[in-house]
Amino acid sequence: MALMEKILFGIAKQWIAGDTIDEALIAAQSSYKNGMGVIINKLGEYHTSKNLIENTISEYKTIMNSFRKWKVSGAISVKPTQIGLMKSKKECLNNLEVLIRTATQSQTFVWIDMESSDHTDETIQIYENLLARYERVGIALQANLMRSRGDLADLLSVGGKIRLVKGAYRESPDVAFKTKDKIDQNYQRLMKMLFESGNEFGIATHDGAMINSATTLAKKFEKKFEFQMLRGIRDELKPDLVKKGFTLAEYIPYGTNWLPYSIRRLKERKRNILLLGSSFLSQRMGT
């Protein structure tokens, strides 16, 4: 197990900034110097310990208050189960409000991550509550979930800001598309809805076909959006998108709880392994 962890860490450090806030901010500064925005996520989920929840909130506040000092334009991405959802929806909502108040003061955007389908209803309810009172807050929707088309239509009708992802959680075939073709088709469908009816959204994908579709849609619909990609993946593509005038943000995870996150990223799509390998080789060859 120790050997396996060592091997996995060797892979994971391609996308994990490190254990500490400073390491995350150093990575963010590098992204910003290369013309990209950043989205910082502290690793960890399903917290029930009061101390752990409070420490997580404190770290996110420190990050947001550090962006200006580090000369970084950034956002944070928060998992509801890491700040109280496992205890109650009310506690999670209250803690998100604390973070959003800090975000308002520091001109930081807050993305709410979407976790497994067990938490989708609660997460959307929390987001709708916040959206009625705060402007700089968005939510992730997963293209692998069958319900997402309806969720997206509902959220766009109230001005929701959406981060569209494929989905990283193992789900039942009763609620989720299970093949790549089906998920890709739904991603394309949801992306078209965003360009037609949304604004200020994130196209979070490393898939070249999805990226090409987004660039084509962007010529037809003048919308404010950004591409979002994980640090360390598709590094050969990012400068080209920036050069073409697209806004791009790197998603930067940090923290000691890197193992479950990394295993899920690798399980999410076999293609992630290929993309990671390609990025790794490109860096080693100096391309």
Side-chain angles (χ1 to χ4, degrees):
M1 185 62 189
L3 177 62
M4 182 59 70
E5 282 196 23
K6 189 173 181 180
I7 293 169
L8 280 170
F9 182 72
I11 298 171
K13 68 181 182 182
Q14 289 287 109
W15 58 55
I16 307 296
D19 292 347
T20 67
I21 290 174
D22 278 1
E23 286 172 305
L25 289 168
I26 288 167
Q29 203 171 54
S30 174
S31 300
Y32 195 61
K33 285 177 181 176
N34 287 318
M36 297 179 285
V38 299
I39 303 167
I40 295 182
N41 167 247
K42 177 174 169 55
L43 294 172
E45 54 198 318
Y46 300 111
H47 296 336
T48 55
S49 159
K50 182 180 177 182
N51 286 341
L52 201 50
I53 292 168
E54 288 178 350
N55 287 342
T56 299
I57 293 165
S58 177
E59 288 201 26
Y60 276 127
K61 290 171 71 174
T62 298
I63 288 165
M64 290 188 284
N65 287 327
S66 299
F67 277 146
R68 191 170 296 173
K69 176 185 171 184
W70 285 73
K71 298 179 180 175
V72 170
S73 174
I76 61 168
S77 188
V78 184
K79 286 182 171 57
T81 66
Q82 69 179 175
I83 58 163
L85 187 59
M86 299 307 293
K87 299 181 82 173
S88 74
K89 186 171 70 174
K90 182 179 179 181
E91 179 164 339
C92 180
L93 175 62
N94 290 342
N95 288 336
L96 270 167
E97 284 202 83
V98 169
L99 290 176
I100 290 171
R101 284 197 290 270
T102 299
T104 301
Q105 294 166 2
S106 62
Q107 295 185 310
T108 301
F109 196 90
V110 175
W111 286 105
I112 301 173
D113 271 349
M114 187 62 73
E115 300 174 87
S116 73
S117 60
D118 295 339
H119 305 296
T120 304
D121 282 328
E122 289 176 310
T123 302
I124 289 175
Q125 290 162 11
I126 288 169
Y127 176 64
E128 289 176 335
N129 186 310
L130 293 167
L131 184 64
R133 291 171 289 127
Y134 302 101
E135 184 179 350
R136 295 175 62 80
V137 58
I139 187 172
L141 287 183
Q142 299 165 322
N144 68 328
L145 294 185
M146 296 173 184
R147 60 174 290 169
S148 290
R149 187 176 184 179
D151 290 335
L152 178 56
D154 290 343
L155 287 167
L156 288 178
S157 72
V158 292
K161 298 174 176 66
I162 310 299
R163 176 176 188 256
L164 184 60
V165 304
K166 287 196 177 182
Y169 292 84
R170 190 179 297 277
E171 300 286 0
S172 161
D174 294 335
V175 301
F177 299 110
K178 302 305 288 185
T179 67
K180 182 182 186 303
D181 284 349
K182 289 284 188 183
I183 295 167
D184 286 354
Q185 287 169 16
N186 202 40
Y187 196 100
Q188 294 270 18
R189 189 181 299 119
L190 299 177
M191 182 163 59
K192 189 169 185 288
M193 289 174 64
L194 282 171
F195 276 97
E196 288 175 344
S197 306
N199 203 20
E200 292 187 75
F201 53 87
I203 301 300
T205 182
H206 309 109
D207 188 324
M210 303 301 128
I211 293 166
N212 289 338
S213 291
T215 60
T216 300
L217 286 164
K219 293 174 185 175
K220 185 177 180 181
F221 303 97
E222 290 189 15
K223 296 297 175 77
K224 184 177 180 182
F225 80 100
E226 66 181 16
F227 286 108
Q228 298 175 356
M229 298 186 201
L230 193 61
R231 175 183 183 266
I233 295 186
R234 299 310 304 265
D235 288 349
E236 79 289 351
L237 177 64
K238 292 168 183 172
D240 184 52
L241 287 170
V242 171
K243 189 176 179 180
K244 287 179 178 176
F246 291 105
T247 302
L248 195 150
E250 283 201 303
Y251 190 90
I252 301 175
Y254 82 96
T256 57
N257 195 17
W258 60 270
L259 184 58
Y261 176 86
S262 300
I263 289 172
R264 189 166 66 242
R265 295 306 311 192
L266 291 171
K267 282 182 176 179
E268 174 192 356
R269 303 278 172 265
K270 290 179 182 177
R271 182 163 173 75
N272 275 355
I273 301 173
L274 298 177
L275 290 171
L276 191 63
S278 172
S279 296
F280 182 80
L281 287 173
S282 293
Q283 289 177 6
R284 292 299 179 269
M285 295 171 70
T287 59

